[in-house]
Amino acid sequence: MPGRDRNGQLGPRACSGLAQRGKRGNSGAMMRRFNIAILFLAWLAAPLALLTLAAPLLVPRWLAFDMLSHFAVHGGLYLAVLLSASLFRRHFARLFIAGGLVAAAGAFGLPFLWQAALPGGAAPGGGTKVLSFNLHGWANTDLAAIEALLRHERADLVLLLEFTRSQKPLLRRLRAIYPHQADCTGHSLCRLALLSRYPLSDVHLTPRDYDRHSPALANAVVALPSGPVRFLGTHVTRPTDPHGQRAHLGHVARLAAGEARLPVIAAGDFNAVPWSFLIREFQQKSGLRCFNRFSPTWPMQPIGLAQFPIDQICAGKPFTRGAFRALPATGSDHRPVAAILNR
């Protein structure tokens, strides 16, 4: 018999071949078990992904469901990759992991690359450029980079959030460009700064008020060349407090809706995604339209790939949106946003 010696024993070559086949068999069995385990765990998480998509329908029953709306894109991508990989069960684990990485990079990386290619600089004739930037407080010490960004963008109106005393030298450095300034760095529950190329009047910078459920707010009239506007800049509380968020956004919406004389522009860190119930409710009550539809702005730390479009610029009639961009993070965990508003 081939592979055996005169005494009927297996020879060295035959033993080696059997050992190799045994190793391949063990490896194949381990891969099959790994596939089954990943497949089971992946489908186990599928109901949670479905819940993120169903969140807007569930919010009327419990407002806390709106927090899940932040993950609707993630949930949709997860289910798409899961269903696609499940068609090839033999290679499920590899396809599921690779497909997830490609889908995430495409969904969150492509908007950044596309917007990075758009030109910066001042608004074209007749347009108004508004820029909002959450600086990330004391953690952001790169004042030179922030100054360079603001000089390059040349916005007409700039709102800085989480603006601290350590960043106050920026106001002096930028005074030639932005001669009209206001800030509330002296109050820990305010920390806003408003910089304008054009005169400001009726300026009120107020800290967050827990008793009246109002957010930190910069409220001013800006004398733009095309006519005066009411500007409302705000920092809304985090989505882990949905009732607080609703109160904050409701306060800003009432101010916007109650302004009968002037057009309104609102901007800031709204801490809510455009498709959430709270943002849709805010637009309905305020009469404003928010222009960040899907430009992820947070978190830019630690990996530099923002996931959630929570920084907004909104405006009412007669303004329409021109270009909208999310800009480089410049030392912050947020990317700044800039919009050109046409009148």
Side-chain angles (χ1 to χ4, degrees), residues 75-139:
L77 289 174
Y78 183 91
L79 290 172
V81 173
L82 176 61
L83 292 171
S84 300
S86 296
L87 298 175
F88 307 92
R89 291 183 60 180
R90 186 175 179 181
H91 304 288
F92 175 82
R94 295 174 183 172
L95 291 174
F96 181 69
I97 295 170
L101 292 173
V102 171
F108 302 111
L110 288 180
F112 176 78
L113 294 174
W114 172 71
Q115 292 190 345
L118 295 175
T128 299
K129 188 170 185 178
V130 180
L131 188 149
S132 175
F133 189 8
N134 185 327
L135 295 177
H136 195 32
W138 300 96

Side-chain angles (χ1 to χ4, degrees), residues 66-316:
D66 203 43
M67 186 169 60
L68 293 176
S69 298
H70 288 73
F71 301 95
V73 173
H74 301 77
L77 289 174
Y78 183 91
L79 290 172
V81 173
L82 176 61
L83 292 171
S84 300
S86 296
L87 298 175
F88 307 92
R89 291 183 60 180
R90 186 175 179 181
H91 304 288
F92 175 82
R94 295 174 183 172
L95 291 174
F96 181 69
I97 295 170
L101 292 173
V102 171
F108 302 111
L110 288 180
F112 176 78
L113 294 174
W114 172 71
Q115 292 190 345
L118 295 175
T128 299
K129 188 170 185 178
V130 180
L131 188 149
S132 175
F133 189 8
N134 185 327
L135 295 177
H136 195 32
W138 300 96
N140 192 347
T141 59
D142 197 349
L143 300 190
I146 299 169
E147 180 184 357
L149 174 81
L150 296 180
R151 287 184 180 277
H152 173 72
E153 290 299 323
R154 292 184 289 170
D156 298 301
L157 192 60
V158 175
L159 174 69
L160 301 176
L161 305 103
E162 295 191 18
F163 183 77
T164 64
R165 285 191 180 94
S166 66
Q167 293 149 348
K168 204 160 184 178
L170 283 169
L171 301 185
R172 176 178 50 80
R173 297 181 193 177
L174 294 166
R175 192 170 294 278
I177 304 174
Y178 297 107
H180 309 283
Q181 303 177 351
D183 73 276
C184 56
T185 53
H187 201 298
S188 62
L189 296 179
C190 192
R191 298 198 300 170
L192 303 174
L194 186 59
L195 290 72
S196 175
R197 291 180 178 273
Y198 306 106
L200 300 172
S201 61
D202 193 22
V203 180
H204 303 279
L205 278 80
T206 53
R208 179 183 302 180
D209 188 328
Y210 287 103
D211 293 332
R212 291 189 297 175
H213 304 293
S214 57
L217 185 70
N219 185 345
V221 173
V222 188
L224 296 175
S226 58
V229 299
R230 171 73 62 183
F231 179 78
L232 303 172
T234 189
H235 191 179
V236 175
T237 193
R238 295 177 179 179
T240 49
D241 179 14
H243 293 283
Q245 274 194 310
R246 193 176 199 179
H248 284 185
L249 288 168
H251 180 79
V252 178
R254 285 190 295 274
L255 290 175
E259 178 55 75
R261 189 172 57 91
L262 299 174
V264 177
I265 298 172
D269 180 356
F270 284 21
N271 265 316
V273 292
W275 51 85
S276 66
F277 170 82
L278 289 177
I279 293 296
R280 288 186 285 113
E281 182 183 62
F282 169 77
Q283 292 182 103
Q284 181 181 10
K285 290 184 175 181
S286 67
L288 306 181
R289 183 183 174 200
C290 295
F291 299 128
N292 187 356
R293 295 169 190 149
F294 188 73
S295 294
T297 58
W298 181 90
M300 285 300 291
Q301 297 173 0
I303 63 171
L305 186 63
Q307 307 283 303
F308 307 103
I310 61 175
D311 295 88
Q312 276 291 357
I313 295 173
C314 313

Side-chain angles (χ1 to χ4, degrees), residues 47-60 65-66 68-69 72 79:
L48 184 59
L50 280 171
L51 194 60
T52 65
L53 299 178
L57 302 175
L58 302 172
V59 168
F65 277 118
D66 203 43
L68 293 176
S69 298
L79 290 172

